Amino acid sequence: MTTLTALRPAESTAGTKRWCGVAAAIFAIAWGGNEFTPLLVMYKSHGLAPTTVDLLLFYYVLGIVPALLIGGPLSDRYGRRRLLLPAPLIAASGSLLLAFGSGSVPALAAGRVLCGIALGLAMAVGSSWLKELSQPPHGPALPAGTGARRSAMSLTGGFAVGAGAAGVLAQWAPLPDTLPYLINAALCVLAAAWMSRAPETVPPQENPRGSSGSTSMKAPGSGAVAKLNSRRLIDDLKIPAASHRRFRYVALPAALWLFTSAATAYAVMPTLMLPHVHGAPIAFSALITVITLGCGFAIQSVARRIDRPGTARAAAVGLFLVTCGMLSATWASGALTLGATILTAVVLGAGYGIGLVAGLQEIERIARPDDLAGLTAVFYSVSYLGFGVPAGLSYLHQHAGFSYPSMYLGLAAAAAGCLGLVLRNYKVALEDWVKSRSTLVPVAANSEKHQQTGFADTVTPWLWNGWR
């Protein structure tokens, strides 16, 4: 009896660490996805046209969006491990292309696309896997939303640390075009080895193209639901929860501004400040990136005090901060002072952080286990369109003569419009919410565990208790 009691703490500790390998992979991949950002000013100083460099920033969205939209549903069908295990190695390949192709725009573009594919898989599949590893039977019972918060903090932490490290290395270390990327490639390989120890949470369907009418139940306790084997892959790519009113009018308005805010703060403003920063422009760009994402990371830890179940409070606060941040960018892009640039980064970073958590919380509340990854994919796909904003603004400035203050004033008005849309859908009746969830995805009649889980996910108070 004494021996069994002594073993329980060790077993419990091991269980709580199952998610760490997946979190490390997400962190390393996010590092690789954002290490390019502070180096934008370096490539521009090397003679590349500003619009070309801004397009290189956007190119990895061409990898992110397909990986998000296809990878999420595929992982619901074939399992999380099979889809995510290659992602760190894809990221490492992208970093190697960036390291040795600094003189070639096509090589840089290809490297960015590979990094985007890896990041798309990390966000859609990794976020779902991390959430499932953070709850029974794969981990201890924790407050609802713990998995979403771990995912958001892993991504934001990787974005921030990767940008900071790349900027410092490119500014003061040897081989500025190469060394930052080589370090990330090594980290991705190590993270892949660690993640390989994480257990599967969604066992693959044994016969996804089986005969009509045949069914296959997932293993008990896997956190997944019974699925019809006769469903085609194209059916898995359809996400009924994406039509949910809360997703369309709360989560998506927040998603639109996540990386629009981030790109404004650490892609546009450091470029505008380039003539006014002497001695260390790359390090300055890295500093602004770290400030932006550091504020986003820090504010996620107090999201539990902002969010209220049954309301859009967190999304509204996030969009209010984004609107204020765009007004600050209007001022900062005209004043071009250090203080105005830093203030803009702080406010937009806070809006990004709250908006990310608010969107992921809404998804956890809306999605059933069998379309969690798919709905997460749609959310992130919309959010990453914001990385096209710097290239668009650069084009309008160069070819249409628009000033940055006037363009940011227009973006502030658009953000205020999204805030108004969220406020119009601020509250939701819990009874209507449960009723709408019950019609999203057909469930096998004997899937009692899924019915219990779905109801609990709906009515559980969504309180954050920190990173556990």
Side-chain angles (χ1 to χ4, degrees):
M1 200 68 165
T2 306
T3 304
L4 290 175
T5 304
L7 287 175
R8 281 173 189 156
E11 292 171 354
S12 177
T13 301
T16 62
K17 301 300 182 183
R18 289 179 173 179
W19 59 273
C20 291
V22 178
I26 294 174
F27 179 89
I29 293 169
W31 175 316
N34 209 40
E35 64 186 343
F36 185 83
T37 305
L39 308 187
L40 293 173
V41 296
M42 179 185 73
Y43 291 113
K44 290 175 182 178
S45 67
H46 287 176
L48 288 179
T51 303
T52 299
V53 176
D54 289 334
L55 283 173
L56 287 172
L57 176 67
F58 178 71
Y59 280 156
Y60 92 133
V61 178
L62 302 180
I64 290 173
V65 172
L68 280 169
L69 295 178
I70 298 174
L74 282 177
S75 76
D76 289 333
R77 173 178 282 247
Y78 296 112
R80 310 301 190 209
R81 285 175 57 88
R82 189 176 298 182
L83 269 294
L84 192 61
L85 285 179
L89 302 181
I90 295 173
S93 300
S95 289
L96 291 175
L97 267 178
L98 293 169
F100 298 109
S102 59
S104 169
V105 171
L108 292 174
R112 291 293 289 160
V113 170
L114 286 177
C115 290
I117 292 172
L119 188 57
L121 292 173
M123 289 189 298
V125 183
S127 295
S128 301
W129 197 4
L130 192 55
K131 179 212 178 243
E132 291 155 355
L133 289 172
S134 300
Q135 62 190 23
H138 303 286
L142 296 173
T146 298
R149 186 171 175 223
R150 285 172 173 171
S151 172
M153 296 183 80
S154 297
L155 282 168
T156 306
F159 289 150
V161 176
V168 170
L169 291 170
Q171 185 69 65
W172 290 296
L175 304 174
D177 295 338
T178 305
L179 185 59
Y181 300 118
L182 294 179
I183 291 176
N184 176 252
L187 287 175
C188 286
V189 171
L190 293 175
W194 190 0
M195 182 178 61
S196 66
R197 300 165 58 187
E200 178 61 88
T201 56
V202 179
Q205 298 183 49
E206 294 180 0
N207 181 23
R209 297 181 181 270
S211 60
S212 177
S214 64
T215 60
S216 174
M217 294 295 295
K218 298 291 183 181
S222 66
V225 301
K227 290 187 177 181
L228 294 175
N229 276 345
S230 59
R231 287 178 60 179
R232 299 171 301 167
L233 179 58
I234 190 65
D235 296 325
D236 286 347
L237 297 179
K238 298 176 183 178
I239 307 166
S243 63
H244 195 286
R245 182 178 181 86
R246 295 289 290 180
F247 184 72
R248 288 185 288 127
Y249 297 124
V250 177
L252 285 187
L256 283 170
W257 295 95
L258 293 183
F259 293 108
T260 300
S261 300
T264 291
Y266 58 62
V268 177
M269 290 308 304
T271 300
L272 297 179
M273 285 290 293
L274 192 57
H276 305 276
V277 179
H278 305 287
I282 303 174
F284 174 76
S285 179
L287 174 65
I288 297 302
T289 306
V290 170
I291 289 174
T292 304
L293 295 173
C295 290
F297 183 89
I299 204 164
Q300 289 170 11
S301 65
V302 297
R304 65 185 182 275
R305 301 181 182 179
I306 298 173
D307 179 57
R308 287 294 180 271
T311 74
R313 182 174 177 179
V317 171
L319 284 169
F320 173 76
L321 289 172
V322 168
T323 303
C324 293
M326 290 300 167
L327 291 173
S328 180
T330 302
W331 164 54
S333 60
L336 295 178
T337 62
L338 179 63
T341 301
I342 292 177
L343 177 62
T344 300
V346 169
V347 179
L348 288 176
Y352 157 81
I354 294 180
L356 179 59
V357 172
L360 291 176
Q361 286 180 133
E362 289 295 335
I363 289 170
E364 280 201 357
R365 293 165 177 165
I366 294 169
R368 291 182 180 273
D370 61 345
D371 64 358
L372 173 64
L375 196 60
T376 303
V378 176
F379 175 79
Y380 276 126
S381 296
V382 172
S383 71
Y384 263 92
L385 296 178
F387 273 121
V389 170
L393 296 182
S394 177
Y395 180 85
L396 290 174
H397 178 66
Q398 292 182 15
H399 299 282
F402 288 100
S403 68
Y404 276 93
S406 64
M407 290 188 288
Y408 276 119
L409 186 61
L411 287 175
C418 288
L419 173 59
L421 180 63
V422 169
L423 291 176
R424 287 183 60 187
N425 296 271
Y426 187 77
K427 290 187 177 180
V428 59
L430 186 59
E431 295 81 3
D432 294 340
W433 194 358
V434 175
K435 183 178 179 180
S436 66
R437 278 175 58 94
S438 66
T439 61
L440 285 177
V441 181
V443 185
N446 58 349
S447 181
E448 180 181 355
K449 177 171 178 56
H450 174 254
Q451 294 168 353
Q452 294 173 347
T453 303
F455 183 76
D457 284 346
T458 303
V459 302
T460 300
W462 290 81
L463 302 176
W464 298 97
N465 258 354
W467 183 309
R468 296 195 175 190

PDB file of all heavy atoms in Angstrom, residues 85-103:
ATOM      1  N   LEU A  85       3.851  15.374 -36.623  1.00  0.00           N
ATOM      2  CA  LEU A  85       5.246  14.942 -36.488  1.00  0.00           C
ATOM      3  C   LEU A  85       6.165  15.487 -37.587  1.00  0.00           C
ATOM      4  O   LEU A  85       7.314  15.840 -37.314  1.00  0.00           O
ATOM      5  CB  LEU A  85       5.319  13.417 -36.424  1.00  0.00           C
ATOM      6  CG  LEU A  85       4.890  12.771 -35.103  1.00  0.00           C
ATOM      7  CD1 LEU A  85       4.980  11.250 -35.197  1.00  0.00           C
ATOM      8  CD2 LEU A  85       5.735  13.279 -33.943  1.00  0.00           C
ATOM      9  N   PRO A  86       5.710  15.578 -38.850  1.00  0.00           N
ATOM     10  CA  PRO A  86       6.625  16.131 -39.867  1.00  0.00           C
ATOM     11  C   PRO A  86       6.804  17.645 -39.783  1.00  0.00           C
ATOM     12  O   PRO A  86       7.739  18.183 -40.387  1.00  0.00           O
ATOM     13  CB  PRO A  86       5.944  15.756 -41.200  1.00  0.00           C
ATOM     14  CG  PRO A  86       4.886  14.770 -40.861  1.00  0.00           C
ATOM     15  CD  PRO A  86       4.481  15.051 -39.461  1.00  0.00           C
ATOM     16  N   ALA A  87       5.932  18.347 -39.055  1.00  0.00           N
ATOM     17  CA  ALA A  87       5.928  19.811 -39.100  1.00  0.00           C
ATOM     18  C   ALA A  87       7.253  20.445 -38.662  1.00  0.00           C
ATOM     19  O   ALA A  87       7.759  21.353 -39.340  1.00  0.00           O
ATOM     20  CB  ALA A  87       4.766  20.349 -38.266  1.00  0.00           C
ATOM     21  N   PRO A  88       7.865  20.020 -37.530  1.00  0.00           N
ATOM     22  CA  PRO A  88       9.147  20.644 -37.166  1.00  0.00           C
ATOM     23  C   PRO A  88      10.241  20.414 -38.204  1.00  0.00           C
ATOM     24  O   PRO A  88      11.103  21.291 -38.404  1.00  0.00           O
ATOM     25  CB  PRO A  88       9.500  19.971 -35.829  1.00  0.00           C
ATOM     26  CG  PRO A  88       8.217  19.443 -35.302  1.00  0.00           C
ATOM     27  CD  PRO A  88       7.415  19.068 -36.494  1.00  0.00           C
ATOM     28  N   LEU A  89      10.214  19.274 -38.874  1.00  0.00           N
ATOM     29  CA  LEU A  89      11.220  19.002 -39.900  1.00  0.00           C
ATOM     30  C   LEU A  89      10.976  19.854 -41.143  1.00  0.00           C
ATOM     31  O   LEU A  89      11.929  20.293 -41.804  1.00  0.00           O
ATOM     32  CB  LEU A  89      11.202  17.517 -40.255  1.00  0.00           C
ATOM     33  CG  LEU A  89      11.448  16.562 -39.080  1.00  0.00           C
ATOM     34  CD1 LEU A  89      11.435  15.118 -39.549  1.00  0.00           C
ATOM     35  CD2 LEU A  89      12.776  16.892 -38.386  1.00  0.00           C
ATOM     36  N   ILE A  90       9.704  20.123 -41.458  1.00  0.00           N
ATOM     37  CA  ILE A  90       9.393  21.035 -42.561  1.00  0.00           C
ATOM     38  C   ILE A  90       9.882  22.436 -42.218  1.00  0.00           C
ATOM     39  O   ILE A  90      10.445  23.149 -43.062  1.00  0.00           O
ATOM     40  CB  ILE A  90       7.885  21.030 -42.848  1.00  0.00           C
ATOM     41  CG1 ILE A  90       7.451  19.650 -43.349  1.00  0.00           C
ATOM     42  CG2 ILE A  90       7.519  22.101 -43.868  1.00  0.00           C
ATOM     43  CD1 ILE A  90       5.948  19.495 -43.492  1.00  0.00           C
ATOM     44  N   ALA A  91       9.673  22.847 -40.954  1.00  0.00           N
ATOM     45  CA  ALA A  91      10.152  24.164 -40.515  1.00  0.00           C
ATOM     46  C   ALA A  91      11.669  24.252 -40.596  1.00  0.00           C
ATOM     47  O   ALA A  91      12.223  25.289 -41.008  1.00  0.00           O
ATOM     48  CB  ALA A  91       9.677  24.441 -39.089  1.00  0.00           C
ATOM     49  N   ALA A  92      12.345  23.180 -40.200  1.00  0.00           N
ATOM     50  CA  ALA A  92      13.811  23.171 -40.280  1.00  0.00           C
ATOM     51  C   ALA A  92      14.270  23.296 -41.729  1.00  0.00           C
ATOM     52  O   ALA A  92      15.239  24.017 -42.032  1.00  0.00           O
ATOM     53  CB  ALA A  92      14.352  21.889 -39.656  1.00  0.00           C
ATOM     54  N   SER A  93      13.583  22.638 -42.651  1.00  0.00           N
ATOM     55  CA  SER A  93      13.932  22.739 -44.074  1.00  0.00           C
ATOM     56  C   SER A  93      13.751  24.160 -44.573  1.00  0.00           C
ATOM     57  O   SER A  93      14.579  24.692 -45.337  1.00  0.00           O
ATOM     58  CB  SER A  93      13.065  21.784 -44.897  1.00  0.00           C
ATOM     59  OG  SER A  93      13.250  20.444 -44.482  1.00  0.00           O
ATOM     60  N   GLY A  94      12.662  24.816 -44.143  1.00  0.00           N
ATOM     61  CA  GLY A  94      12.446  26.201 -44.527  1.00  0.00           C
ATOM     62  C   GLY A  94      13.528  27.120 -44.008  1.00  0.00           C
ATOM     63  O   GLY A  94      14.012  28.015 -44.718  1.00  0.00           O
ATOM     64  N   SER A  95      13.941  26.912 -42.751  1.00  0.00           N
ATOM     65  CA  SER A  95      15.004  27.739 -42.179  1.00  0.00           C
ATOM     66  C   SER A  95      16.326  27.533 -42.920  1.00  0.00           C
ATOM     67  O   SER A  95      17.095  28.484 -43.108  1.00  0.00           O
ATOM     68  CB  SER A  95      15.179  27.419 -40.684  1.00  0.00           C
ATOM     69  OG  SER A  95      14.085  27.912 -39.942  1.00  0.00           O
ATOM     70  N   LEU A  96      16.603  26.310 -43.337  1.00  0.00           N
ATOM     71  CA  LEU A  96      17.837  26.048 -44.085  1.00  0.00           C
ATOM     72  C   LEU A  96      17.816  26.748 -45.447  1.00  0.00           C
ATOM     73  O   LEU A  96      18.848  27.271 -45.899  1.00  0.00           O
ATOM     74  CB  LEU A  96      18.036  24.547 -44.255  1.00  0.00           C
ATOM     75  CG  LEU A  96      18.372  23.772 -42.976  1.00  0.00           C
ATOM     76  CD1 LEU A  96      18.434  22.281 -43.251  1.00  0.00           C
ATOM     77  CD2 LEU A  96      19.701  24.254 -42.381  1.00  0.00           C
ATOM     78  N   LEU A  97      16.653  26.765 -46.099  1.00  0.00           N
ATOM     79  CA  LEU A  97      16.549  27.493 -47.359  1.00  0.00           C
ATOM     80  C   LEU A  97      16.792  28.981 -47.153  1.00  0.00           C
ATOM     81  O   LEU A  97      17.473  29.635 -47.957  1.00  0.00           O
ATOM     82  CB  LEU A  97      15.169  27.274 -47.977  1.00  0.00           C
ATOM     83  CG  LEU A  97      15.007  26.130 -48.973  1.00  0.00           C
ATOM     84  CD1 LEU A  97      13.562  26.039 -49.446  1.00  0.00           C
ATOM     85  CD2 LEU A  97      15.943  26.316 -50.165  1.00  0.00           C
ATOM     86  N   LEU A  98      16.234  29.534 -46.091  1.00  0.00           N
ATOM     87  CA  LEU A  98      16.449  30.945 -45.787  1.00  0.00           C
ATOM     88  C   LEU A  98      17.908  31.221 -45.450  1.00  0.00           C
ATOM     89  O   LEU A  98      18.455  32.274 -45.799  1.00  0.00           O
ATOM     90  CB  LEU A  98      15.551  31.372 -44.621  1.00  0.00           C
ATOM     91  CG  LEU A  98      14.044  31.383 -44.908  1.00  0.00           C
ATOM     92  CD1 LEU A  98      13.270  31.565 -43.617  1.00  0.00           C
ATOM     93  CD2 LEU A  98      13.695  32.491 -45.890  1.00  0.00           C
ATOM     94  N   ALA A  99      18.557  30.267 -44.777  1.00  0.00           N
ATOM     95  CA  ALA A  99      19.944  30.462 -44.371  1.00  0.00           C
ATOM     96  C   ALA A  99      20.893  30.512 -45.561  1.00  0.00           C
ATOM     97  O   ALA A  99      21.820  31.328 -45.599  1.00  0.00           O
ATOM     98  CB  ALA A  99      20.368  29.352 -43.415  1.00  0.00           C
ATOM     99  N   PHE A 100      20.650  29.646 -46.537  1.00  0.00           N
ATOM    100  CA  PHE A 100      21.594  29.532 -47.651  1.00  0.00           C
ATOM    101  C   PHE A 100      21.071  30.143 -48.952  1.00  0.00           C
ATOM    102  O   PHE A 100      21.736  30.044 -49.985  1.00  0.00           O
ATOM    103  CB  PHE A 100      21.948  28.056 -47.876  1.00  0.00           C
ATOM    104  CG  PHE A 100      22.624  27.434 -46.694  1.00  0.00           C
ATOM    105  CD1 PHE A 100      21.968  26.491 -45.913  1.00  0.00           C
ATOM    106  CD2 PHE A 100      23.918  27.801 -46.325  1.00  0.00           C
ATOM    107  CE1 PHE A 100      22.586  25.918 -44.805  1.00  0.00           C
ATOM    108  CE2 PHE A 100      24.530  27.234 -45.221  1.00  0.00           C
ATOM    109  CZ  PHE A 100      23.879  26.285 -44.455  1.00  0.00           C
ATOM    110  N   GLY A 101      19.917  30.805 -48.889  1.00  0.00           N
ATOM    111  CA  GLY A 101      19.367  31.422 -50.092  1.00  0.00           C
ATOM    112  C   GLY A 101      19.149  32.904 -49.960  1.00  0.00           C
ATOM    113  O   GLY A 101      18.271  33.463 -50.628  1.00  0.00           O
ATOM    114  N   SER A 102      19.950  33.563 -49.113  1.00  0.00           N
ATOM    115  CA  SER A 102      19.724  34.985 -48.851  1.00  0.00           C
ATOM    116  C   SER A 102      19.911  35.853 -50.090  1.00  0.00           C
ATOM    117  O   SER A 102      19.397  36.970 -50.148  1.00  0.00           O
ATOM    118  CB  SER A 102      20.666  35.472 -47.748  1.00  0.00           C
ATOM    119  OG  SER A 102      22.021  35.266 -48.114  1.00  0.00           O
ATOM    120  N   GLY A 103      20.638  35.363 -51.103  1.00  0.00           N
ATOM    121  CA  GLY A 103      20.846  36.151 -52.317  1.00  0.00           C
ATOM    122  C   GLY A 103      19.830  35.887 -53.392  1.00  0.00           C
ATOM    123  O   GLY A 103      19.928  36.457 -54.488  1.00  0.00           O
TER     124      GLY A 103
END
